Amino acid sequence: MTSDVEFRNVSKFFGTHAAVDNISFSVPAGSFFSLLGPSGCGKSTTLRMTSGFEFPDRGDILIAGENMAGIAAYRRPTNMVFQRWALFPHMTVFDNIAFGLSVERQPRDIIRRRVGEALELVGLTQFASRKPRQLSGGQMQRVALARALVKRPKVLLLDEPLGALDLKLRMQMQLELKRIQREVGTTFIYVTHDQGEALTMSDQIAVMNNGRIDQLGSPQEIYDHPATRFVAGFIGNANLLPVQLAAEGAGRSAGMATVSMGGFTFPTQIAQEPTGDKGWIVIRYERIRVGDAARAMPIRTQARVRDAIFAGSTVHYVMAIEPAGTEITVETGHDGLSSPLMQGSLVDIGWEPGVTRLFGDV
Amino acid sequence: MLAPSLALMLYAFVLPMLTFFEYSFYTFRRGKLLDEFSLTTYRRFLFDAYYQTIVLDTLWMATLTTLLALAIGYPLAFALWRLERPWMKRWLSLIIFSPIIVSVVVRSYGWIVLLADQGPVNWILKTSGLAAEPVTLVFNLVGVVLSLAHVFLPFVVFPIYSSMSRIDPALREAAMDLGAGWLRTFRSITLPLTLPGVVAAVQIAFTLALGAFVTPAMLGGGRVLVLPLQVYNATAEINWPVAAVGGLVLLVIAIIVVALCNRLLKYSEA
């Protein structure tokens, strides 16, 4: 598959601090690619280097096979949707969208037609003569999208474009963005700190941490098989529990190890080989079964309910695993009929051996 | 709370204005002020070529001063905005402020020395071969306009600077991202968005230039007869009607300029 954007060993320093630390990745043409991470992880710098607002100190950036070294932002085949949309306040919606085309000195009728198409794509045809301040957040967001797409960029860059919208609107725009991406077939590079957003929209996600890419993969790969402790903790809700490894070689088979936690011994998948005899396992809240469902699980123990948090469709329990009292959080579905478990009650909990992942002690 | 300041305004501003207005209808004949109603002074200001020239010269000087102050002030505001180091910003704003720190008389003498036929500016022009004869830069309109534009700099730079610093930096990035180079970005984004600042600067510079007295008196060398000077001369001759009508004409021009600018401001912000 051809790649639209390729980073080769790219680093960017601000002073002595490496904002982006030797990263390499390639984005397949026509895909929805997300850069996900907490603030300060280097995702925005990565995006700004792609758009040409920043230049790498080391390494190469290729767009559509062409090296972008020394090529200014206004000469790159990329367009950007800005965090707060950056619409030109003194121009109408039409003029905002037409700006990129009029810079290219396109004929008037072509501008009118293409702006019309772009307005239609985002469903804002009747707002063409409005000024940005007369629009709602969601509408401004669509104008920003239309303004960037009207230039037919090879790659569309989106810098947390939904961050300023409220939750309901954000969900709706996620679906719409995905629809538009399918419709135009342009490569999208999407920067976000919202894991839910990245999981629902992306074909591929690069999870960034401290200027590096911790893991690159499909949403499911990243969710089910986090490569580092950071990824496991950042995406979804997961318990991080300290464990003791069984004696050298004992209980080892094809990617599995035996660990114990306060006397409770069980097998786990290895994600990262620990250097010593201590490590951490990660298990997601919703992978733990409770009560009757737990009894069918190969790995089983008992835990005491310390706290129950009702969240509508789910219930979160904070439990202490017997006998050592290691705290673990469990998420169960709520059926709308049964009442949640009582505080202080002793229940069975259990899980499949494949759902825990072992990480080193770093 | 408002009452004392209103009373002060009434006594120190409105009352004299009304008195002035009354004087404008008096008659001045053979060096004497007569309590005789007449519209002669108004007629002279409107139709007499001598007074017309004074009014037009005043407008011309104010226009040139405003344009020069803008031509120097806008780039300075831009530089102030783009400077990244705080200490550089501090020094530049101090330099821009310096003309109003110095007394107008001292500053005017400074300009006289600087612009004189034997002064440093003419020396540079002569030694660089740009001019064979000394260029008359002072005791004429050139000197007055230069000196006024100089002192109005802070009033021009800071409104423009403040409108620049209100621009979201992402807007210029967005323009560049859409293919606009530096010049196009400036023309389509920065300039239109700083127009409110420019209009405010014009308003201040133009009305200040209209009322300027000391600078035209010192640097004009008697060859730049503007309305405030005419008003001063008239009061010296106790020709109250001419002084009053001159003052009123200044006031009307200032009001028109302010109104026009306000209209423009509304338009440029819409």
Side-chain angles (χ1 to χ4, degrees), chain B residues 92-144:
Chain B
L92 186 58
S93 39
L94 190 69
I95 291 167
I96 295 164
F97 252 119
S98 62
I100 45 174
I101 297 170
V102 182
S103 137
V104 59
V105 178
V106 175
R107 195 179 55 246
S108 296
Y109 274 119
W111 276 109
I112 292 173
V113 172
L114 212 61
L115 300 175
D117 283 2
Q118 294 83 29
V121 174
N122 263 311
W123 182 82
I124 291 168
L125 288 176
K126 200 173 168 188
T127 44
S128 65
L130 282 170
E133 291 297 308
V135 184
T136 314
L137 295 171
V138 77
F139 304 127
N140 62 5
L141 192 62
V142 178
V144 175

Side-chain angles (χ1 to χ4, degrees), chain A residues 48 74 79-80 90 131 151, chain B residues 173 176-178 188 270:
Chain A
R48 291 173 62 80
Y74 61 90
N79 286 114
M80 178 120 129
H90 57 302
K131 288 277 178 72
K151 297 256 298 179
Chain B
E173 284 191 345
M176 287 192 188
D177 183 66
L178 292 164
S188 301

Side-chain angles (χ1 to χ4, degrees), chain A residues 48 51 53 73-74 78-80 82 86-91 99-100 102-103 131 133 147-148 151, chain B residues 168 170-182 184-185 187-189 192-193 268-270:
Chain A
R48 291 173 62 80
S51 67
F53 296 136
Y74 61 90
T78 59
N79 286 114
M80 178 120 129
F82 288 81
L87 299 182
F88 306 130
H90 57 302
M91 296 184 193
F99 184 78
S102 76
V103 168
K131 288 277 178 72
R133 66 186 151 75
R147 182 178 70 177
K151 297 256 298 179
Chain B
D168 178 359
L171 291 185
R172 291 182 319 118
E173 284 191 345
M176 287 192 188
D177 183 66
L178 292 164
W182 189 90
R184 179 64 194 256
T185 304
R187 189 159 61 81
S188 301
I189 310 300
L193 288 177
S268 65
E269 275 168 356

Side-chain angles (χ1 to χ4, degrees), chain B residues 17-239:
Chain B
M17 288 273 285
L18 289 175
T19 317
F20 231 56
F21 192 59
E22 193 194 342
Y23 277 143
S24 70
F25 298 106
Y26 278 25
T27 309
F28 185 80
R29 202 180 298 132
R30 287 186 211 94
K32 276 190 188 133
L33 191 64
L34 303 172
D35 189 1
E36 229 172 76
F37 179 85
S38 90
L39 291 170
T40 326
T41 326
Y42 283 98
R43 216 171 286 135
R44 280 169 68 192
F45 264 88
L46 280 175
F47 303 111
D48 190 329
Y50 173 74
Y51 287 102
Q52 279 178 352
T53 315
I54 294 176
V55 173
L56 288 178
D57 278 357
T58 308
L59 287 174
W60 180 230
M61 183 209 69
T63 308
L64 284 180
T65 304
T66 307
L67 288 179
L68 183 64
L70 269 187
I72 302 168
Y74 196 95
L76 268 179
F78 194 82
L80 195 61
W81 180 44
R82 302 306 300 159
L83 279 182
E84 275 170 19
R85 287 170 212 281
W87 67 268
M88 284 180 157
K89 259 194 199 312
R90 268 203 303 279
W91 276 102
L92 186 58
S93 39
L94 190 69
I95 291 167
I96 295 164
F97 252 119
S98 62
I100 45 174
I101 297 170
V102 182
S103 137
V104 59
V105 178
V106 175
R107 195 179 55 246
S108 296
Y109 274 119
W111 276 109
I112 292 173
V113 172
L114 212 61
L115 300 175
D117 283 2
Q118 294 83 29
V121 174
N122 263 311
W123 182 82
I124 291 168
L125 288 176
K126 200 173 168 188
T127 44
S128 65
L130 282 170
E133 291 297 308
V135 184
T136 314
L137 295 171
V138 77
F139 304 127
N140 62 5
L141 192 62
V142 178
V144 175
V145 167
L146 266 178
S147 175
L148 282 181
H150 174 224
V151 72
F152 293 164
L153 269 187
F155 302 107
V156 170
V157 170
F158 290 104
I160 297 175
Y161 172 72
S162 108
S163 70
M164 283 173 175
S165 51
R166 273 199 298 268
I167 299 177
D168 178 359
L171 291 185
R172 291 182 319 118
E173 284 191 345
M176 287 192 188
D177 183 66
L178 292 164
W182 189 90
L183 202 65
R184 179 64 194 256
T185 304
F186 177 78
R187 189 159 61 81
S188 301
I189 310 300
T190 313
L191 190 59
L193 288 177
T194 50
L195 273 189
V198 172
V199 173
V202 166
Q203 205 166 358
I204 299 170
F206 198 89
T207 46
L208 282 179
L210 278 180
F213 171 74
V214 178
T215 307
M218 289 183 68
L219 289 164
R223 273 181 287 273
V224 182
L225 188 54
V226 286
L227 265 175
L229 284 178
Q230 176 66 19
V231 170
Y232 175 80
N233 293 340
T235 49
E237 299 163 13
I238 34 168
N239 189 343

Side-chain angles (χ1 to χ4, degrees), chain A residues 122-139:
Chain A
V122 297
L124 284 179
T125 308
Q126 67 274 39
F127 293 94
S129 55
R130 294 254 186 116
K131 288 277 178 72
R133 66 186 151 75
Q134 298 168 299
L135 301 177
S136 70
Q139 289 165 339

Side-chain angles (χ1 to χ4, degrees), chain A residues 19-82:
Chain A
V20 169
D21 191 1
N22 193 24
I23 62 170
S24 300
F25 63 86
S26 76
V27 180
S31 65
F32 198 118
F33 185 91
S34 290
L35 291 163
L36 173 67
S39 61
C41 72
K43 59 189 193 298
S44 287
T45 307
T46 304
L47 196 74
R48 291 173 62 80
M49 286 193 286
T50 316
S51 67
F53 296 136
E54 306 280 357
F55 288 88
D57 293 314
R58 272 189 224 134
D60 291 305
I61 298 169
L62 281 75
I63 299 177
E66 235 179 288
N67 197 324
M68 288 291 127
I71 294 182
Y74 61 90
R75 286 174 49 216
R76 294 195 181 191
T78 59
N79 286 114
M80 178 120 129
V81 176
F82 288 81

